[in-house]
Amino acid sequence: MDNAELAALALDIAREAGALARSGQAGVRIAGTKSSPIDLVTEMDQACEQLIRERLAASRPGDGFLGEESGEAVSDAASDCRWIVDPIDGTVNYVYGLPQWAVSIAAERQGVVVAGAVVAPALEEEYLGVLGQGSWRLAGGDRERLVCSQQTELAQALVATGFGYRRERRVEQGRVISALLPEIRDIRRCGAAAVDLCYVAAGRVDAGFERGLNPWDRAAGGLIATEAGARMGGLSEAPASEAMTLCAPPALYEALDRRLSALGATAPED
Ligand code: IPD
Ligand code: CA
């Protein structure tokens, strides 16, 4: 399969998982908690990941897999492909009946994300990206090529962000955002990092950053954003990682990188 075919497969499977999740949103049951008592996992997170894993195994036996709920499986020697999956990004929104949640599926080849799909059923939007070919928003039968914001001024920037579930991290994130907030247009905290990254791609926000994101939060959305002209990485030339994921048009990226670095946005926590 070429990268466009991998993206089409990701989209098909994300649609099926998204439909399953949407059908169960009203009667959602909590299965447990993860990094802290406020970090929820639902039975639907688990059911969707299982469905995605089964569909990928049927279509692409031998590929590797990394999923938020079920962990990692290495690929066969014959495969150069690994799937990176968040079955429901925005679980807290999902539990509260808010619409900003999404199924996120990305394909990586030799460590590079080459295809990604983010399906947000309750928003009735789908996002798709193919390395080197572009990214698109699919909604209401329309397919729109995505181009990120051209904003260069930090003072004019609408910036998406998010917060982790552990208290020590929140204290640090609160310190950083309280310094940054008076210096920008405003923040948005939509509650789903994959959706934030698609919003960067679509120019619905100018930039996004968050400390603590995992590969499954950013793999598909990050490709969709970079294919729309944004840059994604960490601070001071580091790659995107748990320490920091920053995504913005290039000029704004530099301004945010400087400011977040000066604020010690990746400083050690208590
Ligand atoms: C979370 C969401 C949220 C972000 C958290 C993530 P989950 O993912 O993306 O917006 O702020 O850091 O953990 O737990 O809903 O898959
Ligand atoms: Ca999740």
Side-chain angles (χ1 to χ4, degrees):
M1 277 188 187
D2 65 22
N3 295 341
E5 289 166 334
L6 293 178
L9 177 63
L11 181 62
D12 272 357
I13 296 175
R15 278 180 177 158
E16 189 182 350
L20 173 66
R22 195 172 191 187
S23 72
Q25 190 174 11
V28 60
R29 284 204 299 264
I30 309 298
T33 59
K34 291 190 285 190
S35 60
S36 85
I38 55 170
D39 183 4
L40 303 175
V41 55
T42 72
E43 290 179 357
M44 198 53 88
D45 290 87
Q46 296 166 337
C48 286
E49 182 151 323
Q50 193 183 336
L51 180 147
I52 294 165
R53 209 167 173 148
E54 285 169 8
R55 294 292 183 271
L56 287 171
S59 296
R60 303 265 318 168
D63 284 358
F65 183 90
L66 174 65
E68 179 171 16
E69 311 304 339
S70 63
E72 186 153 23
V74 293
S75 62
D76 288 354
S79 167
D80 68 344
C81 184
R82 178 171 82 145
W83 296 88
I84 304 175
V85 170
D86 190 342
I88 300 181
D89 180 49
T91 295
V92 172
N93 285 346
Y94 181 78
V95 168
Y96 278 77
L98 292 166
Q100 294 93 350
W101 55 270
V103 180
S104 174
I105 302 180
E108 186 186 71
R109 277 187 157 140
Q110 279 128 21
V112 175
V113 178
V114 296
V118 173
V119 169
L123 297 174
E124 299 186 345
E125 288 188 330
E126 300 169 336
Y127 292 85
L128 193 66
V130 183
L131 184 67
Q133 295 179 30
S135 56
W136 300 267
R137 184 169 73 100
L138 288 66
D142 294 335
R143 183 183 169 100
E144 176 199 347
R145 181 85 184 240
L146 297 173
V147 181
C148 72
S149 146
Q150 303 303 305
Q151 185 58 255
T152 58
E153 299 292 318
L154 192 53
Q156 298 292 324
L158 184 62
V159 180
T161 194
F163 308 102
Y165 296 110
R166 284 187 302 104
R167 178 186 171 80
E168 300 74 23
R169 175 149 297 168
R170 287 254 177 114
V171 169
E172 272 303 300
Q173 289 174 315
R175 179 185 64 75
V176 170
I177 207 69
S178 73
L180 189 65
L181 186 55
E183 302 174 6
I184 59 176
R185 185 186 301 277
D186 205 344
I187 61 161
R188 290 291 178 269
R189 198 294 189 246
C190 105
V195 176
D196 286 342
L197 291 166
C198 291
Y199 283 1
V200 172
R204 287 181 174 171
V205 294
D206 294 306
F209 76 91
E210 183 168 345
R211 182 178 189 177
L213 293 185
N214 289 292
W216 48 82
D217 296 312
R218 68 171 163 262
L223 175 69
I224 290 162
T226 54
E227 285 298 319
R231 172 179 170 191
M232 184 171 78
L235 299 186
S236 309
E237 306 297 326
S241 72
E242 206 212 320
M244 179 56 66
T245 300
L246 169 58
C247 186
L252 195 55
Y253 187 104
E254 285 178 24
L256 265 167
D257 184 356
R258 273 195 302 275
R259 195 63 192 110
L260 290 169
S261 297
L263 288 169
T266 58
E269 296 150 3
D270 287 337

